[in-house]
Amino acid sequence: MSTRPYVLNSPDSFITDALRGLLAANPAIVWQADPGFLYRRDTDDDRVAVISGGGSGHEPMHSGMIGAGMLDAACPGLVFTSPNALQIAAATRQVDRGRGVLHIVKNYTGDVMNFRIARHMLRDEVTTDHVVVDDDVATESESGPGRRGTGATIIVEKICGAAAARGDELTEVAEIGRRVGADARSFAVAYRACTTPGSSAPSFELDDEEMELGVGIHGEAGEDRTTIVGARELVGRMLDRIVDSLSLTSDEQVICLVNGLGSAHPLELSLVFGEVICNLDERGVTVERAMVGTFVTALDMTGFSITLVRVDDAILELFDAETSAPAWPSVIARPTQVDEVTFAEPADTAADGPECGWLSDFVSRVVDSVDDLTELDKQAGDGDFGTNMTAALGHFDLPLRGSDTAVLHAISTSFFVRAGGTSGAVFGVLFRYLATAFEDANSFDEALGDGASSALGEIGDLGGAQVGDNTMVDALAPAVDALRDGRSLAEVADAAESGAESTRDTTASKGRASYVGENARGVVDPGALVTSWLFRAAAQSQAR
Ligand code: ADP
Ligand code: MG
């Protein structure tokens, strides 16, 4: 399996170079180089302080959670390596305001040990307490160190930070943190492992069609492996584990965190949340707050975790309190379940009424030629022209029925709504102006002339294409000239066709085709060709 390259100067300076940018972007955070921790610049209130820390590679946790109402300091270790006790002791000393310091520790042996050593070092100096976060159900059955600390950590940090800001005593802040931790569970899955910067292999191998269930945030392989399953089933299985471990029953309330592990796309995370809220609704569980985003990562791992935290109103009040931590979302809503989302289909043309012969001829000619049109766009553009034409015109029942205006309107709307690309916009405009002109004009020729002329003006304004730029304007402009000169429709169509043919000898300077330069020489512009077919269809119908 291939690995993803990192943006870096050198693997050795990856973390320090990243810290440099973090500090530059967040002047409220200060770096203490000896022995290495981050802390809040303005912490002079009389209150309990809260700190955390852990291996690097999980950003934006913990550094992004430093701010008023959250963490006072964070101790970064090397990649996936716990911070050392000297860092933690110095950070604790730095942030203490005489009311004591709470340590929020993820449940990994190294982290637990180093935080404990630091507290021991400071035992005659600073009052401390600690909360160990252990939310990962994938590691729950193992005898040994117990559940790992993962996504729930930032929620414990948030709630403890808010309790400290409110003025709670150290023992109270710690007690709240332990309660939240006890009511939190997570489960993570990955479609691809992570790679440590500088290493040439991912932390574990997965075949393309496989996924890993129960992965850890240090790139640990999971407890199980399966062929990739659909999101709905996957989310159901993950929630089974979480709900079971929490003994969550209907009528309970939770905070839900859907968290990207490093290379999950926001669309994927939104999709997951849609499945989560639907699934929990079926279980009778109410999601009081939704966090959907990338907060606790395993470097570049492709995957996500789900965290549920059982809450009551007192906890929600702390969760909702303000914070200035840069990575905490400024808006967290109480979600609602949404059944289905669709794009409305544009209305098709009328099922009865008079046949609209010329536009039926045009549409069927385009639809029958999509492969050839795509081939032209492949040679001179990006190859999607035929797809866009099919999207816009392929759904019409032929023959089209209704007045010229009605059918032109339907075609215009369909281009705007269904076709992508430049052609959706350009042909949407052409047919819209034609529709309006056919409503008002006295004759077919006048309507065609007025509509084409107005469209030409607007298309020129829109994309700046002039004759010779190798676009549909090369067919439209000569047709408009011929119409203005009062030529017959057959001559108008001839003018449009020779305009389209002229694009064979030019290279594009507008539109995507401009990116392929000389490769476009010898190829007719498909947009110009289609435009000439419209005028030919008009001429043939009027000649009948
Ligand atoms: P895309 O360029 O987004 O891939 P399509 O493949 O759907 O769009 O459409 C390409 C057609 O759009 C070209 O054949 C050309 O006729 C037309 N076109 C491109 N740029 C312009 C422009 N600036 N003005 C008018 N028509 C244009
Ligand atoms: Mg294209």
Side-chain angles (χ1 to χ4, degrees), residues 377 382 384-385 388 420-423 426 459 463 465 471-473 510-512 525-528:
D377 194 37
D382 57 356
D384 61 351
F385 189 87
N388 294 340
T422 313
S423 55
V426 165
I459 290 167
T471 70
M472 57 88 74
V473 169
K510 289 285 182 299
R512 291 250 173 99
D525 176 67

Side-chain angles (χ1 to χ4, degrees), residues 359-361 363-365 367 393 395-401:
L359 291 170
S360 301
D361 291 348
V363 168
S364 77
R365 186 168 182 186
V367 170
L393 303 177
H395 64 97
F396 283 117
D397 286 332
L398 297 176
L400 301 167
R401 291 181 186 281

Side-chain angles (χ1 to χ4, degrees), residues 373 376-377 380-389 415 419-427 458-460 462-466 469-474 476 503 508-515 524-531:
L373 293 167
L376 293 175
D377 194 37
D382 57 356
D384 61 351
F385 189 87
T387 317
N388 294 340
M389 291 296 129
F415 265 111
T422 313
S423 55
V426 165
F427 286 102
E458 168 99 20
I459 290 167
L462 272 175
Q466 293 175 345
D469 284 340
N470 206 357
T471 70
M472 57 88 74
V473 169
D474 289 344
L476 186 58
T503 62
S509 65
K510 289 285 182 299
R512 291 250 173 99
S514 57
Y515 306 137
V524 175
D525 176 67
L529 195 57
V530 162
T531 304

